[in-house]
Amino acid sequence: MLSDDALGHEWDYHLGPKDPEEEEGPWGGGLGLPPPGCFPGSWYQDVGLDCKGAPEGAEARAWTVYYYGLLQSCLQQAGLPETQDRSPAPRTGCPGAEVTLCILGAPSTYLSVLLEGGLQSPGNMLLCLSPAWLAKVPAPGRPGESALLVSKAVSFHPGGLTFLDEFVPPRRATYFLAGLGLGPGRGREAAELARDLTCPTGSSAELARLLEDRLLARRLLAQQGCVPVPATLAFTYKPLGLLQGGEASPGLRLVELSGKEGQEALVREEVRAFLCSEALGDALQVAVKLSGWRWRGRQHLRLHPRADPGMVADTVLALLERLEEEEAVLVEAMCLPARLPCPGSPPPGPELAMRLCALVCRTQGDRPLLSKVVCSVGRSDRPLRHQSSLPRSLEVALAQCGLEEAAQVATVRRRVKEAAEAALAAVLALEAGLSAEQRGGRQVRTDILGVDFALTAVGRSLTPVALELNGGLCLEACGALEGLWAARRPGPAAEDGAAAPLVETMLRRSARSLVEGKRLLVVGAGGVSKKFVWEAAHDYGLKHTERANLASCLPPLHPSPFLQLHLVESDPNHFASQLVETFIHFDVTEHRRDEENARLLAELVRARGLQLDGCFSYWDDCLVLTALLCQELGLPCSPPAAMRLAKQKSRTQLHLLRRLGPPWPAPSLHAVPCCPLASEADVERAVHQVPLPGVMKLEFGAGAVGVRLVEDAPQCHEHFARIARDLQGEADHPGIGLGWGNSMLLMEFVEGTEHDVDVVLFGGQLLAAFVSDNGPTRLPGFTETAACMPTGLVPEQEAQLVQAAFRCCLGCGLLDGVFNVELKLTGAGPRLLEINPRMGGFYLRDWIQELYGVDLLLAAAMVACGLRPALPAHPRARGHLVGVMCLVSQHLQALRSTASREALQALHDRGLLRLNLLEEELVPGEYEEPYCSVACMGPSPAEARLRLLGLCQGLGIDGPHYPVAHFLSHFK
């Protein structure tokens, strides 16, 4: 409740003049000089803040100095060192080939993003303190669009290190985010810079004008997001087109006025009816305020008793005189503060109210993700606003108000999460229906959204009610909360950073920007398990010819080309042949002629006039051929010798056994003794050299086909003869490497847990690594049964696996690419099973993208084009996935009934499981590969495991012959 002296009081939301054009400061459109003497010290002295070729006037220069001082003050309060000036020695780089994340705005608003960007992409997160440090230039081949060039900026690095840098030549932005405004001043300049860029853009004045209009936001949330909003009566004058027509929203009434004068009778009637309506519930007061872009965040608020309609109507009539087109006067119910239970006597003093600020980010697949919740707590008789109280976590705020029971706190957090994510989903749905012009450019998307809530009681439950949408204010509040711990450790874990999902989205969109328009040759289209490649190409906007629209398989393609793909494939009827710019039919199955075939393919490429930026393959059989072809065409790739070495399993192990170092630890520590087997005589020799039991496998095999545990010499001879008889060539089992022959190897069997490590290398540097755990196999076979990601290992063991995989790749000469390394973690450390010199198969690409937002396929395409992949240095998983494999030999009855493809797909579509189809037909056989992978996601490995086990029991996948609980036992 409000105290009596507060009723009818006008609360100022700003301290400056009341003209909105004058009150917002430079990024919101204000004019004038910054306040003098704001920051102690002399940070701006002897610092090169001028930008060559773009001189600033005295006023603009004063604001640049002001923001530089603000940055230093923010760094100082966070316990971070002062910015070093490196501008006298300009930086050089590779314009157009490097990630450049650029922010133009107040340092205090974006500090959390800048620091996170410096950690995830060192040196590539840039803060521009003046629009003069940026320039737009027309983009070739993109009429009406411009590239954004950065000549000067503050660059951010790990540990909070910052440098004032000048760039010669200027860096080309791959992502742009700006503080915006419509009035004169820097906000207007930022809005002009953000409009119609070729690079991804996280904001625009056009979108901000829509989303920060309170009335439009409330109608959007109530109609599309089903998010509770305050009961509101709105008097609109020439409203936005998006507000005209449409269905009525519960508790939200729009009254369109024909003019601003002569409306007294209508206003009084509408106000009286509204104040008497049930939509206001138990509200005792109403607020009268203005809505529209001019009034965003800084306006006058008048509070009146609900029982005084005359006073409310008088205020409305007075404010109508200030309206301009597309603005409104709102009368809204003041949410009653939630009365939280207090043990014992209620605390002395006024009743407390809470305002919640939720920051939600757009993540992989355009899915909203709540990043952080920050709360303000204050007297319930005074309006709470940003920057008027100290930020605190939801748990601390609820405890301060008397609610500490863990289950109730979790319920409140869940409701805030659902409402905030629904709000962003509604915004994204709105954007999807807007044209590029309405959004402010083809590349403009809302990547981050702040949602302000009041916590109130609806019935017997605590409910967050959405008040308004904003961007910078919530981001700044979250950064301020994190700043409490910046200079003092221990504090909240790094993964709690509010800006982490946003930075990952910035990097992901930057990667697409860098690859846009690149021309790639793919060698080998792959089988059903690789169909995701073409689905991904479709999602990315694959350029295709008119004849290549495969309507029967995929929906229509995006109108703007992302990649130009050309394909070399043996099967002339492969569905992917209709999805590419150029299809080259060529037999790639005879690998003994790879060198000759590489020369012939190079001639075909030149004869067709293909100008390629890169060439790569994700299909085992074509990896060496691809390396040879890249060599012929002068395209980036790991050396053919390295690919041959990694492709032949015995050569890999024997080569690494000889790599004794330095440096130490040497790759030899991870290699496993083995012998190549080309004849029965080789088998006889091998059983005396390799300790038994051992493992026999195909030299060039894939998918664990033909891999078997052998206990003694007779079993070795028997298995060798069986493989020599059954798997003689490609026709016997396509896609597992028999085009290279059917020679085998015998290697020592090592005890331990099995793991996959998928690594991204560029120029011999390890950019990313993702570790997954595998369940026990069904010996004597080694077909995969179950998997879990992220790994459940302790960090030290995870690091051992990553470094072992990295060292083994370098030891074989694999310097550039995405590689899958299979290892076992033994009591003596990691031991190498094999290196697959391509990205991980089965479900791995899908899982990594789902959990970490990193697309290994896109990373491989970037490496193939000679581009450093735009990846977060420390990706954080968004949950846990646990999955099992389904085999036709074990699950044929279930796969034809309870776990049919249609049933599994339906569960996948409902989000109850994650399905990766690996085979098309239900054909049992002795040398089988998994038919599909079925997985469940959860906030913890235990919850994901329990969900999966329950589903497998219900679907008939679990049983005595296939004990899923046993296969998942490694993941406890």
Side-chain angles (χ1 to χ4, degrees), residues 590-741:
E590 183 46 71
H591 302 295
R592 295 179 181 89
R593 300 175 56 188
D594 273 349
E595 290 191 5
E596 178 187 351
N597 287 340
R599 289 191 292 270
L600 292 174
L601 275 173
E603 292 175 7
L604 285 173
V605 168
R606 296 187 187 103
R608 297 202 179 199
L610 301 183
Q611 301 296 316
L612 300 175
D613 297 295
C615 172
F616 81 117
S617 180
Y618 47 80
W619 193 236
D620 274 291
D621 281 7
C622 301
L623 300 173
V624 174
L625 173 62
T626 301
L628 291 165
L629 179 57
C630 287
Q631 190 177 65
E632 289 284 335
L633 296 173
L635 296 172
C637 188
S638 287
M643 299 298 275
R644 281 197 181 99
L645 189 60
K647 181 61 186 164
Q648 188 170 355
K649 296 176 175 59
S650 65
R651 286 190 61 198
T652 304
Q653 299 285 3
L654 296 174
H655 173 80
L656 293 177
L657 281 169
R658 294 191 291 269
R659 296 295 301 268
L660 302 176
W664 184 86
S668 59
L669 292 175
H670 310 301
V672 177
C674 66
C675 280
L677 308 175
S679 65
E680 288 283 356
D682 292 335
V683 177
E684 186 60 35
R685 184 181 69 255
V687 296
H688 297 290
Q689 295 180 2
V690 177
L692 297 178
V695 178
M696 290 185 70
K697 59 172 71 175
L698 288 164
E699 276 278 23
F700 304 96
V705 175
V707 183
R708 190 173 183 85
L709 179 72
V710 286
E711 302 279 356
D712 50 35
Q715 286 188 9
C716 293
H717 285 284
E718 178 185 355
H719 189 57
F720 183 84
R722 184 186 303 114
I723 294 296
R725 179 185 69 246
D726 297 343
L727 301 177
Q728 298 182 13
E730 184 72 12
D732 294 323
H733 202 305
I736 64 164
L738 293 175
W740 293 86

Side-chain angles (χ1 to χ4, degrees), residues 352-410:
L352 297 179
M354 285 181 57
R355 183 175 174 127
L356 287 67
C357 171
L359 196 67
V360 57
C361 299
R362 184 171 71 94
T363 62
Q364 174 68 36
D366 289 344
R367 284 173 295 184
L369 175 70
L370 178 68
S371 177
K372 186 166 295 276
V373 179
V374 176
C375 300
S376 298
V377 177
R379 293 166 55 124
S380 62
D381 59 351
R382 297 179 183 272
L384 286 170
R385 60 182 177 88
H386 286 280
Q387 302 174 336
S388 67
S389 66
L390 291 175
R392 61 208 77 191
S393 67
L394 177 64
E395 289 73 17
V396 169
L398 288 173
Q400 185 175 352
C401 293
L403 186 67
E404 300 185 67
E405 205 278 316
Q408 292 180 315
V409 173

Side-chain angles (χ1 to χ4, degrees), residues 40 43 134 144 315 321 345 399 447 465 467 472 507 525 568 624 656 869 898 915 969:
W43 289 308
L134 295 156
T315 304
E321 299 176 3
S345 302
D447 289 328
V465 176
L467 301 177
L507 287 169
V568 176
V624 174
L656 293 177
T898 53
L915 172 66
S969 60

Side-chain angles (χ1 to χ4, degrees), residues 877-893:
R878 303 295 176 207
H880 297 263
L881 276 166
V882 177
V884 296
M885 293 294 198
C886 294
L887 307 176
V888 175
S889 64
Q890 303 299 315
H891 302 111
L892 182 58
Q893 182 177 351

Side-chain angles (χ1 to χ4, degrees), residues 274-518:
F274 176 70
L275 296 181
C276 293
S277 70
E278 296 181 357
L280 275 70
D282 296 329
L284 300 177
Q285 291 87 30
V286 293
V288 184
K289 61 180 70 172
L290 288 158
S291 173
W293 171 268
R294 289 195 307 146
W295 309 101
R296 61 189 183 108
R298 291 171 172 86
Q299 59 159 312
H300 308 297
L301 167 69
R302 281 190 175 272
L303 301 175
H304 297 291
R306 179 181 178 181
D308 192 346
M311 187 180 296
V312 175
D314 289 342
T315 304
V316 171
L317 290 168
L319 292 178
L320 283 180
E321 299 176 3
R322 308 184 68 177
L323 283 190
E324 293 183 1
E325 292 184 10
E326 300 183 347
E327 295 181 347
V329 178
L330 307 184
V331 182
E332 67 178 49
M334 287 295 292
C335 297
L336 288 172
R339 290 176 171 79
L340 303 177
C342 294
S345 302
E351 189 176 20
L352 297 179
M354 285 181 57
R355 183 175 174 127
L356 287 67
C357 171
L359 196 67
V360 57
C361 299
R362 184 171 71 94
T363 62
Q364 174 68 36
D366 289 344
R367 284 173 295 184
L369 175 70
L370 178 68
S371 177
K372 186 166 295 276
V373 179
V374 176
C375 300
S376 298
V377 177
R379 293 166 55 124
S380 62
D381 59 351
R382 297 179 183 272
L384 286 170
R385 60 182 177 88
H386 286 280
Q387 302 174 336
S388 67
S389 66
L390 291 175
R392 61 208 77 191
S393 67
L394 177 64
E395 289 73 17
V396 169
L398 288 173
Q400 185 175 352
C401 293
L403 186 67
E404 300 185 67
E405 205 278 316
Q408 292 180 315
V409 173
T411 298
V412 173
R413 176 171 288 277
R414 175 179 56 80
R415 289 173 180 164
V416 173
K417 175 180 172 66
E418 291 172 352
E421 292 179 353
L424 180 54
V427 168
L428 298 181
L430 171 69
E431 289 182 11
L434 300 178
S435 66
E437 182 180 3
Q438 290 173 311
R439 294 197 310 273
R442 174 178 60 92
Q443 293 274 36
V444 175
R445 298 289 187 278
T446 296
D447 289 328
I448 189 166
L449 185 71
V451 189
D452 282 329
F453 294 99
L455 188 64
T456 188
V458 176
R460 299 178 60 85
S461 63
L462 295 177
T463 300
V465 176
L467 301 177
E468 60 185 359
L469 306 178
N470 68 74
L473 290 174
C474 280
L475 185 60
E476 186 173 36
C478 291
L481 178 63
E482 293 172 2
L484 295 175
W485 302 101
R488 182 175 178 269
R489 292 290 188 259
E495 57 265 27
D496 292 334
L502 173 60
V503 171
E504 291 170 11
T505 296
M506 297 166 83
L507 287 169
R508 185 164 50 250
R509 294 189 66 190
S510 288
R512 291 191 175 204
S513 176
L514 287 168
V515 180
E516 183 172 346
K518 297 297 183 186

Side-chain angles (χ1 to χ4, degrees), residues 523-535:
V523 183
V528 173
S529 64
K530 305 299 183 185
K531 190 176 180 180
F532 68 83
V533 172
W534 304 102
E535 294 171 345

